Amino acid sequence: MIIAIDGPAASGKGTIAKQVSAIYGLHHLDTGLLYRAVAKAMLDGGHAPDDVARAIEAAIALDPAKFDDNTLKAPAITEAASVVAAIPEVREALMNYQRQFAMRPPGAVLDGRDIGTVIAPGADVKLFVMASPEVRAARRVRELWARGEQADEKEVLADLLRRDERDSRRTAAPLKPAPDAHLLDTTHLDIDAAFRAAVEIIEAARTGRKRR
Ligand code: CDP
């Protein structure tokens, strides 16, 4: 079983993906970490994230087995990640790893921006998780505080909107729901309610498939 969970920044897709993978006993890949790792390699090497040739090299050289999510979630890396993610060859270099991950038995939950549209268009269930920008900014601020980082809600909101815009407007695998994705608006849902709503959608999709 492959479950694709896409959506904009801080929509709740990562938390939903983690919980869904746990109850179904599936592998979980936060694909944002791949783009973040390329961004970190660029910043560590003193290169601008829009240095296309270097970004492609970094993506090809990436070893996803060595990921440490904690350092990859830092705000400076977040911004650079969306810059390298707009480079088509960077996306191409990361595609095989994601597709192979998805094929590992007994199946996987992948969360990102283009899972339902590009990485796993044949996924059994596709969710597109969204929430209002203000609610997403408030969530991201709480996450940053929990990590011990300073965060100003207005700045975080501006960062989110800029990143959403860049992710949606790029020509390579833009952020958008697949035509057959189920939309899940978590603006008024806490994490428990969002998780339950996701499971309901997944169960309905699975039952529907069995009947067909
Ligand atoms: O947690 P948050 O949504 O803030 O970030 P993320 O999911 O880790 O993604 C960071 C950046 O990576 C995004 O702004 C996208 O530009 C890029 N990304 C992508 O292009 N495709 C994916 N499948 C996942 C992330």
Side-chain angles (χ1 to χ4, degrees):
M1 175 157 75
I2 299 176
I3 301 178
I5 306 187
D6 291 302
S11 54
K13 61 186 186 305
T15 313
I16 292 174
K18 216 176 279 166
Q19 297 186 342
V20 162
S21 67
I23 64 153
Y24 288 104
L26 301 170
H27 303 289
H28 169 226
L29 181 63
D30 169 356
T31 63
L33 291 180
L34 301 175
Y35 299 92
R36 287 171 180 273
V38 174
K40 182 169 190 294
M42 296 294 283
L43 299 179
D44 287 351
H47 311 303
D50 61 354
D51 181 337
V52 172
R54 297 247 189 214
I56 296 169
E57 269 175 37
I60 292 171
L62 202 68
D63 181 357
K66 289 193 189 140
F67 284 174
D68 162 14
D69 329 9
N70 226 16
T71 58
L72 293 176
K73 293 280 181 182
I77 295 182
T78 307
E79 178 67 19
S82 89
V83 174
V84 299
I87 303 168
E89 295 89 341
V90 164
R91 308 197 68 85
E92 217 174 285
L94 302 176
M95 189 179 279
N96 252 348
Y97 176 79
Q98 297 174 76
R99 288 198 169 148
Q100 276 169 11
F101 188 99
M103 299 306 290
R104 276 168 56 195
V109 181
L110 283 83
D111 72 87
R113 302 287 187 290
D114 63 338
I115 308 305
T117 50
V118 176
I119 301 298
D124 299 275
V125 190
K126 299 179 186 177
L127 289 176
F128 192 87
V129 184
M130 64 223 178
S132 76
E134 291 72 20
V135 164
R136 292 190 284 124
R139 286 178 188 161
R140 185 48 49 95
V141 165
R142 282 200 300 274
E143 266 172 44
L144 290 167
W145 283 346
R147 290 169 40 90
E149 310 220 16
Q150 301 277 347
D152 170 76
E153 197 151 333
K154 271 204 195 109
E155 262 174 47
V156 170
L157 176 61
D159 288 351
L160 282 185
L161 293 175
R162 190 174 55 244
R163 204 145 56 87
D164 283 355
E165 164 104 358
R166 193 185 289 132
D167 291 347
S168 309
R169 288 202 166 195
R170 69 184 179 214
T171 42
L175 166 68
K176 66 165 184 221
D180 53 347
H182 301 268
L183 302 185
L184 175 54
D185 186 343
T186 68
T187 305
H188 304 291
L189 303 180
D190 65 13
I191 187 58
D192 264 3
F195 167 64
R196 283 198 304 273
V199 170
E200 252 174 52
I201 293 170
I202 294 166
E203 284 304 307
R206 276 166 31 116
T207 327
R209 268 179 191 245
K210 268 186 225 140
R211 268 202 219 106
R212 257 185 271 141

